[in-house]
Amino acid sequence: MDDSLSLDAKLLAESGQGDNAPPLTVSEISGALKRVVEDRFGYVRIRGEISGFKRAASGHVYLALKDDKAVIDGVMWKGNAGRLPFRPEDGIEVVVSGKLTTYPGRSKYQVVIDKMELAGEGALMALFEKLKAKLLAEGLFDQDRKKSIPFLPKTIGVVTSPTGSVIRDILHRLADRFPSHVIVWPVLVQGEGAAKQIAAAINGFSQMEPGGPVARPDLVIVARGGGSVEDLWSFNEEEVVRAVAACTIPIISAVGHETDTTLCDFAADLRAPTPTAAAEMAVPVRSEWLISLDETKSRMARAVQRGLATAQERLETQRRVMPALADLLRPHQQRVDEISERMKYGMSQNIGQARSRFASSAGALRPSILKQRLARSQEQFRRLDMPVSLVQRPLADAQQRLDALWRLAQQVSPDGPLKRGYARVSSADGDLIGSRKAAAAAGSLNLHFADGTIGAQVTEFRTIAKSSPKSPSSRNKKPADDRQQDLF
């Protein structure tokens, strides 16, 4: 063995004289590293692209931030994750704020994120286009899903802020054009929780039942004033867009000014450039409508009058060319007179002919002639010499067949055995009882004998053992136990 190796390599760890670096445990070194990192980087802001975004069942968010050279893990606890103003997705560039720490369980460092923001409008528009493409592929923006806007809604629902100028502009324009019943559902239109309130308001209007305590709107307006892309972002959130697309009531989107575009505009049934324009699209101008109704009424009256005048002219023309009523009736009256004369002559002819036939028939029906016919018939009957046996023999054969059938009927009659001491058992409803189980189920029974019927009630059942045939002398002996023979 090499002596130098044996001097340097030792089996047991020992602290040498003057050694001021004692060995640390893994937990001690991990704790020391954690303190150094947290003290040195107590608060940091990091810009990077989201990768591997995952929201756990607990509500915590786990992700990684990366650039073209490095990757750092990040975690955002449930409370901060619930306040995010947008929905993070992979590929979106963000700026996060938080503190850097270590995770000793995996020997790695990570950033605990307190706040997450999009890295400029470019990242915001990238998220906008990504979500737009996703919803477009699902068909939420298809034209055939759009509902027609009612011409004159009785009730209009408005989803907007109750304190802004938007609701005042809408109410003022509706009052000028066509006063209508308006239900305002107050919501936040930007900031934390705005998207949830807007989606809940749209779903609330959609779920209202017709005829309920609060009138169900015939039209819904989702409105907000102008602002930056960040200010209008609540109307780009997926839950708001889906609520607008799923609304069963026709909906007008009036978010921002003419140049502003949100995903809510694509999902709505109609887009208005401004909230005031939405009110103009919702109802017609009442005065113009009344004028139009008056004009239509006048045109209808003139059309009816022209029609009546034309009909009167046609009627007068037809009246002049038509013959007089008397002239139309005279040929028919003449024909009636001719038919009447022919009927009288025909009836006289028929009566004369009938009298002649009756007279000739009456002559053949004199009593003497009838008596002569009767005498001839009696004489012919007396001449008939028919043997009596020809009549008696068929009668005897028929009597024998009848007797045989009667004997057969007596044998198969259910009442025949009753004369020999038997009884027929039936239920109170008249159904025949043929077994002990049926008798127990019936309870009340009727016993039919040859000379009449009596009722019975089942009170006790006993099993009678089968035995060999007894001699005639033993049959006449009285049983030892009378109760054994009493079945009812």
Side-chain angles (χ1 to χ4, degrees), residues 73-187:
D73 290 335
V75 60
M76 193 173 196
W77 305 128
K78 178 180 178 181
N80 293 327
R83 291 191 292 269
L84 282 173
F86 66 98
R87 182 174 302 209
E89 295 182 6
D90 288 353
I92 302 299
E93 190 175 11
V94 296
V95 175
V96 300
S97 302
K99 63 180 181 179
L100 205 64
T101 183
T102 64
Y103 182 43
R106 293 187 181 178
S107 299
K108 67 177 183 179
Y109 64 94
Q110 63 185 10
V111 58
V112 178
I113 302 171
D114 296 330
K115 185 171 66 172
M116 181 184 297
E117 302 167 317
L118 292 168
E121 288 193 6
L124 197 62
M125 293 310 299
L127 182 60
F128 177 90
E129 293 298 332
K130 188 173 182 179
L131 182 58
K132 178 181 176 182
K134 173 186 175 182
L135 299 178
L136 182 63
E138 293 182 17
L140 265 64
F141 304 153
D142 292 349
Q143 193 63 33
D144 55 0
R145 299 182 73 257
K146 309 292 185 182
K147 297 177 286 294
S148 58
I149 304 301
F151 174 70
L152 186 60
K154 294 182 180 179
T155 303
I156 300 174
V158 180
V159 178
T160 190
S161 171
T163 58
S165 61
V166 170
I167 185 61
R168 292 195 297 270
D169 293 342
I170 292 176
L171 294 177
H172 179 70
R173 185 50 59 95
L174 290 176
D176 288 344
R177 291 174 65 84
F178 202 109
S180 305
H181 179 55
V182 178
I183 301 175
V184 179
W185 197 304
V187 296

Side-chain angles (χ1 to χ4, degrees), residues 149-150 153 155-162 166-175 177-178 180-187 189 197-199 201-203 205-206 216-225 235 240 244 247 249-256 264-265 268-284:
I149 304 301
T155 303
I156 300 174
V158 180
V159 178
T160 190
S161 171
V166 170
I167 185 61
R168 292 195 297 270
D169 293 342
I170 292 176
L171 294 177
H172 179 70
R173 185 50 59 95
L174 290 176
R177 291 174 65 84
F178 202 109
S180 305
H181 179 55
V182 178
I183 301 175
V184 179
W185 197 304
V187 296
V189 292
Q197 292 188 17
I198 296 169
I202 296 171
N203 292 329
F205 276 136
S206 181
R216 188 176 191 264
D218 303 309
L219 177 68
V220 174
I221 299 176
V222 179
R224 188 206 188 282
F235 297 89
V240 174
V244 171
C247 185
I249 303 173
I251 190 165
I252 298 177
S253 174
V255 180
C264 183
D265 298 334
D269 300 305
L270 184 65
R271 177 185 181 273
T274 62
T276 303
E280 295 175 354
M281 294 176 177
V283 295

Side-chain angles (χ1 to χ4, degrees), residues 10 35 56 89 120 123 135-136 153 167-168 182 185 219 229 246 266 270 310 352 370 380 420 438 458 488:
K10 295 180 179 180
R35 288 190 294 273
E89 295 182 6
L135 299 178
L136 182 63
I167 185 61
R168 292 195 297 270
V182 178
W185 197 304
L219 177 68
V229 177
F266 294 105
L270 184 65
T310 303
L370 295 175
Q380 291 175 356
R420 299 195 298 273
V458 178
F488 304 98

